[in-house]
Amino acid sequence: MNDFIFHNPAKVYFGKSQMEHLSEELLKFGKRVLLVYGGGSIKKNGLYDLIVRQAKDNEIELFELSGVEPNPRHTSANKGAEICKKENIDVILAAGGGSVIDCAKGIAAAALTDSGDVWELVSNSVFVEKALPVIAVLTNAATGSEMDAWAVISNMDTNEKMGLNGSALFPKAAFENPEYSFTLSEYQTACGVFDIFNHVIDNYYFAGEATFGLTLEMQEAVMRCVVKYAPIAMSEPRNYEARANLMWASTMALNGVLDAGTLHGAACHMLEHELSAYYDITHGHGLAIVTPRWLEYILDEKTAPAIARLGERVFDIPKTANAMDDAKKAIAALADFCFNTLKLKGTLTDLNIDDKHFKDMAKHACFGSVISGPKTLSPDDLEKIYRMCL
Ligand code: NZQ
Ligand code: ZN
């Protein structure tokens, strides 16, 4: 097991009655608030009205940036940064899914730079140590952005989608009321679910000797929880227990807890970010298409026992003496979860994606080098995995 430092400063208010603390958290930073949201889902589920009411009751002055895109663009973050500079904003309130929260973090960082251009930070891999405070109200169980220090920003002019990281990007507080996720469509629920699942296997699960028992068991608990509650949330969107479990799983999957003492990988995420950079697809769906193929590609005598363990612990596949056979069953069970339980279309061809950009995408995905993980992957390997997804 590896040594580790665990530090996560984000405060989480979880549950049905916690929104009453929103104004108290905002007022810690000031009265001039930029509310950032997406295409209008918060107007349909009542969250927008609640925020406006609390602002009014507490003499908070609200400014707005709406229309943040799924796969948030650098141009939206720059627009927000401009408002922050012009209006002397004290704190940013993000209300929505990962895209809105990521855009808010991008705004928060860019607002404190001279240029106000988030892409300058992203493209230079600047570690953000200075940013305006962000408070998040989460409406989609998926990315973990509510309690992590990352923002993923897209530049559609250059077909690039990259992470911005930094200690200043942890939300100061995150509000998680599972009721606000009742209005998610079946499709978005499924995509969010697979993002959560993938954060565990992609980032941490195959760390081998670098990890330790407790972390491994906690990772499996999160994946089992997702497998159990996803079909319930899809068939009964207003099931509080299912939505609450998924929401907390989203947060736990990427807030550093499951990271303790392990190694990082994220091959599927690197592969997927290229897909959404070129084709603007939904992140979790791209991951669902890539992940079973990635496992198939990395399967060999060395990786088989860990993949077999995934099958046994998460999908209840009985262990036999043949790890290779067990691993193949595990991959089949995962594909069944993605394409039958979650009802996600199973190939890139289904999403009208062909092999036109695979070479470039493979090169970008590993920054012209390799991706490490249970098996080191070169651009050639990555291109082969894309082809398996057609
Ligand atoms: O825009 P609105 O109207 O809010 O609608 C959104 C959007 O259309 C809708 N939605 C969200 N909550 C809803 C709802 N619809 C009805 N009811 C609700 N309660 O769902 C659609 C997708 O929302 P989005 O925020 O894009 O989804 P998600 O939360 O999956 O975020 C995806 C983005 O986060 C990045 C992804 O790459 C992608 O850009 N990620 C961020 C990470 C991070 N910051 O750590 C890590 C992840 O791996 C990921 O890369
Ligand atoms: Zn993800």
Side-chain angles (χ1 to χ4, degrees):
M1 91 185 56
N2 284 350
D3 292 352
F4 63 90
I5 296 172
F6 177 78
H7 176 80
N8 190 317
K11 176 177 185 178
V12 177
Y13 288 90
F14 193 98
K16 295 177 188 178
S17 61
Q18 302 285 13
M19 288 300 287
E20 65 194 57
H21 298 286
L22 180 63
S23 48
E24 162 194 326
E25 286 295 333
L26 290 168
L27 288 168
K28 285 181 184 167
F29 304 100
K31 291 195 159 216
R32 297 173 74 79
V33 176
L34 176 64
L35 169 63
V36 179
Y37 59 100
S41 68
I42 67 161
K43 292 201 168 162
K44 292 189 192 125
N45 62 18
L47 178 56
Y48 180 83
D49 289 342
L50 180 140
I51 290 170
V52 170
R53 211 169 38 245
Q54 278 212 18
K56 205 165 156 211
D57 292 348
N58 292 281
E59 292 171 12
I60 288 171
E61 193 171 357
L62 271 190
F63 299 81
E64 290 192 18
L65 176 76
S66 62
V68 172
E69 312 84 357
N71 299 324
R73 316 297 200 248
H74 72 297
T75 43
S76 293
N78 289 352
K79 228 187 269 174
E82 201 180 319
I83 302 174
C84 290
K85 281 171 177 279
K86 184 164 162 243
E87 303 296 349
N88 216 6
I89 295 295
D90 297 313
V91 48
I92 303 172
L93 173 58
S99 294
V100 165
I101 301 173
D102 283 2
C103 185
K105 291 177 179 178
I107 295 170
L112 297 193
T113 65
D114 290 339
S115 68
D117 179 13
V118 74
W119 199 249
E120 210 171 278
L121 299 170
V122 174
S123 57
N124 290 308
S125 305
V126 172
F127 186 79
V128 182
E129 289 176 292
K130 238 176 37 176
L132 286 174
V134 172
I135 290 182
V137 184
L138 180 68
T139 64
N140 186 16
T143 65
S145 184
E146 62 275 12
M147 205 183 173
D148 77 15
W150 285 89
V152 182
I153 306 289
S154 292
N155 183 334
M156 293 325 234
D157 304 333
T158 56
N159 294 123
E160 287 173 288
K161 176 175 182 176
M162 294 198 285
L164 180 67
N165 177 223
S167 50
L169 296 184
F170 283 107
K172 299 292 178 208
F175 289 82
E176 301 187 25
N177 178 350
E179 289 176 333
Y180 287 123
S181 64
F182 286 175
T183 46
L184 279 162
S185 66
E186 189 179 68
Y187 177 71
Q188 285 299 341
T189 301
C191 291
V193 157
F194 198 72
D195 192 21
I196 302 169
F197 190 98
N198 186 273
H199 287 154
V200 184
I201 53 171
D202 201 17
N203 279 311
Y204 317 123
Y205 189 63
F206 296 114
E209 286 169 6
T211 193
F212 65 122
L214 175 61
T215 301
L216 209 53
E217 303 259 356
M218 286 163 72
Q219 291 165 353
E220 287 160 349
V222 169
M223 290 189 282
R224 273 200 306 274
C225 159
V226 158
V227 169
K228 174 176 173 183
Y229 287 106
I232 301 173
M234 287 170 69
S235 61
E236 301 166 40
R238 304 182 74 80
N239 185 311
Y240 184 84
E241 195 194 345
R243 292 291 190 190
N245 273 281
L246 293 178
M247 203 166 251
W248 194 230
S250 153
T251 305
M252 293 308 285
L254 220 59
N255 68 355
V257 165
L258 302 188
D259 191 2
T262 71
L263 286 178
H264 284 272
C268 296
H269 269 68
M270 313 286 253
L271 283 158
E272 195 297 308
H273 282 175
E274 292 303 314
L275 288 168
S276 36
Y278 275 82
Y279 298 100
D280 201 15
I281 63 170
T282 302
H283 175 60
H285 194 171
L287 289 172
I289 293 174
V290 164
T291 306
R293 277 76 182 209
W294 167 68
L295 283 175
E296 216 178 295
Y297 192 81
I298 66 168
L299 176 61
D300 59 18
E301 293 299 331
K302 210 169 136 231
T303 57
I307 300 175
R309 176 176 164 139
L310 172 79
E312 187 196 354
R313 299 296 180 99
V314 177
F315 294 107
D316 295 326
I317 296 169
K319 186 176 176 179
T320 71
N322 189 329
M324 188 55 87
D325 275 359
D326 292 352
K328 285 181 186 160
K329 285 183 208 152
I331 297 171
L334 178 71
D336 182 66
F337 176 63
C338 293
F339 309 129
N340 294 324
T341 308
L342 298 182
K343 303 183 198 168
L344 294 170
K345 288 182 178 163
T347 66
L348 293 180
T349 313
D350 290 332
L351 303 188
N352 297 320
I353 296 174
D354 61 20
D355 63 357
K356 187 171 164 203
H357 297 294
F358 283 177
K359 233 182 208 0
D360 287 339
M361 287 160 56
K363 217 170 1 161
H364 292 163
C366 59
F367 300 99
S369 170
V370 292
I371 298 181
S372 56
K375 199 166 181 171
T376 302
L377 300 171
S378 69
D380 256 11
D381 295 317
L382 300 175
E383 195 182 334
K384 284 181 191 144
I385 296 173
Y386 281 132
R387 288 196 185 283
M388 290 165 74
C389 298
L390 283 171

